[in-house]
Amino acid sequence: MKTISIIVPCFNEEETINIYYDAMTKLKEETNKFKLEYWFVDDGSKDRTYSILKDLQRDHSDEVHFISFSRNFGKEAALYAGLNEVTGDYTAVMDVDLQDPPEVLPQMFDLLEAKDSEYDCVGTARMDRDGENKIISFFSEGFYKVINKMSQTKIIPGARDYRLMTRQMVEAIKSMTEYNRFSKGIFSWVGFKTKYLPYKNRERSAGTTSWNFWKLFKYAITGIVDFSEGPLMFATWMGTIFSITSIVAIIAIIIRKFVNPLSSVNGWASLVSIILLIGGIQLLSIGILGEYIGKIFLEVKKRPIYIVKDKK
Ligand code: UDP
Ligand code: MG
């Protein structure tokens, strides 16, 4: 029987872990097609997550493992930590709040196991955005449009992290040791053939989401800066346009001086607005440079992506 390793990031999830584990156990018994190996990652939770995971591991030491971080390093770091530990034939990534439906897992498994299967990974992607905050939907859709225009790495709109992948793909992702991690981009960047199953939005089993608008916004900027040099071109293009415009203007002024030497001095307001516009664009361009330099700074420091406090 093949083994599926499941990576489950948990941040303040005391209410959901046991619900999740029970649902998965039920699924495993019903399908009886694969063995499971769990890698729960306690991402520096402030509630009882750690002790719940410890108990779970003690009671089911044949299949449950956990890693506990020294502080909150973020879901991306938790996924990476899990990838470094898994040993199964296939590896799945799953949220603990049951928003990633367990019953899809056997379907994913069958697709990968099928004779002559052409897929290396089976993922899930949302078909609609029912039940999501309208403002967040608007910005999410905008984000996917922008990143897919600017980046060579294509990201499927609404793709979730929930997926099952082969050992080979896991090794490929592990080889990407960058500090600024954006999984949606990484999954796509490594290539391999991925099949997306339709996914309908569902509510958390318990607890609350740890995302808010501002966190999502910063995450979106990370995604763009990590997988596209597009914004850097902005300064080059604006610089080119303004240089050409100013050369044309200078020529026009010189000609006017010859044609009509008494042309009067006016246009103070337009002058000020042009200076402001150019100043604004310069600052924006410096800001974009700063975003990239900030990422490079973190990358060259080679800090560890996570720090483990306890592991079993
Ligand atoms: N998570 C994590 N570290 C964080 C934030 C979230 O490990 O800093 C985990 C969380 O416990 C959950 C998954 O990532 O298993 C998805 O988080 P959440 O349900 O809060 O996000 P949403 O489903 O609302 O996008
Ligand atoms: Mg969730």
Side-chain angles (χ1 to χ4, degrees):
M1 215 191 263
K2 294 218 167 147
T3 306
I4 298 181
S5 298
I6 307 183
I7 302 170
V8 196
C10 307
F11 177 54
N12 295 341
E13 299 281 6
E14 59 184 6
E15 293 171 63
T16 53
I17 292 168
N18 284 313
I19 304 178
Y20 169 82
Y21 186 74
D22 293 343
M24 290 302 290
T25 309
K26 203 165 137 246
L27 175 90
K28 192 185 76 176
E29 281 160 7
E30 276 167 12
T31 48
N32 202 19
K33 275 197 241 189
F34 39 72
K35 281 199 288 198
L36 291 176
E37 174 196 62
Y38 297 89
W39 276 98
F40 289 93
V41 185
D42 164 27
D43 184 10
S45 301
K46 297 206 161 50
D47 63 358
R48 287 171 39 247
T49 298
Y50 174 58
S51 65
I52 291 171
L53 287 179
K54 254 170 86 165
D55 291 348
L56 194 68
Q57 198 278 330
R58 200 190 50 227
D59 299 343
H60 307 274
S61 55
D62 51 325
E63 58 175 12
V64 175
H65 303 270
F66 71 86
I67 307 175
S68 184
F69 287 174
S70 60
R71 65 165 170 87
N72 179 245
F73 282 88
K75 182 180 173 187
E76 300 290 329
L79 294 183
Y80 185 64
L83 287 172
N84 283 328
E85 305 293 342
V86 291
T87 60
D89 303 290
Y90 297 113
T91 296
V93 168
M94 252 175 131
D95 288 358
V96 71
D97 54 14
L98 288 181
Q99 282 185 308
D100 294 338
E103 64 272 15
V104 182
L105 199 64
Q107 216 176 321
M108 293 174 160
F109 181 75
D110 290 341
L111 275 163
L112 291 183
E113 278 283 281
K115 216 161 135 283
D116 312 321
S117 170
E118 50 179 328
Y119 299 112
D120 306 284
C121 175
V122 184
T124 44
R126 266 188 206 207
M127 297 298 140
D128 55 51
R129 289 190 170 271
D130 292 349
E132 192 185 59
N133 182 315
K134 289 277 170 300
I135 299 170
I136 290 190
S137 292
F138 174 78
F139 280 97
S140 299
E141 275 163 23
F143 164 73
Y144 285 114
K145 284 205 187 97
V146 169
I147 194 160
N148 282 326
K149 269 239 153 58
M150 286 198 303
S151 172
Q152 302 293 330
T153 309
K154 295 289 167 254
I155 293 171
I156 308 284
R160 292 184 67 81
D161 288 340
Y162 183 28
R163 59 190 61 225
L164 183 68
M165 39 197 172
T166 59
R167 189 78 234 163
Q168 215 185 359
M169 187 159 165
V170 170
E171 293 303 325
I173 297 172
K174 270 163 69 180
S175 73
M176 294 180 78
T177 54
E178 60 212 67
Y179 182 83
N180 297 287
R181 303 188 74 78
F182 181 68
S183 283
K184 288 182 201 306
I186 291 176
F187 289 139
S188 159
W189 190 92
V190 293
F192 298 102
K193 207 157 178 198
T194 302
K195 159 107 184 141
Y196 283 96
L197 302 174
Y199 167 83
K200 250 199 146 0
N201 206 23
R202 32 170 96 192
E203 299 279 311
R204 273 180 150 266
S205 60
T208 50
T209 175
S210 48
W211 289 93
N212 56 36
F213 182 79
W214 182 235
K215 265 177 132 179
L216 279 172
F217 181 76
K218 284 203 293 196
Y219 187 59
I221 298 284
T222 303
I224 292 172
V225 174
D226 280 6
F227 283 92
S228 167
E229 286 88 44
L232 288 173
M233 298 287 288
F234 170 82
T236 316
W237 280 110
M238 280 300 170
T240 312
I241 291 168
F242 278 104
S243 305
I244 293 172
T245 315
S246 65
I247 290 168
V248 172
I250 289 167
I251 294 171
I253 290 166
I254 294 172
I255 293 173
R256 190 173 67 168
K257 206 73 204 161
F258 280 114
V259 175
N260 179 8
L262 293 175
S263 55
S264 59
V265 180
N266 55 25
W268 180 86
S270 55
L271 199 63
V272 171
S273 25
I274 290 166
I275 291 171
L276 280 178
L277 175 68
I278 296 176
I281 288 171
Q282 281 172 338
L283 282 178
L284 181 62
S285 306
I286 294 171
I288 292 170
L289 280 180
E291 283 291 321
Y292 281 87
I293 292 172
K295 299 277 176 201
I296 300 169
F297 180 57
L298 287 172
E299 240 21 279
V300 295
K301 281 207 263 195
K302 290 240 174 296
R303 283 184 181 161
I305 294 167
Y306 56 89
I307 291 168
V308 177
K309 196 179 72 187
D310 191 10
K311 180 170 112 176
K312 258 205 181 84

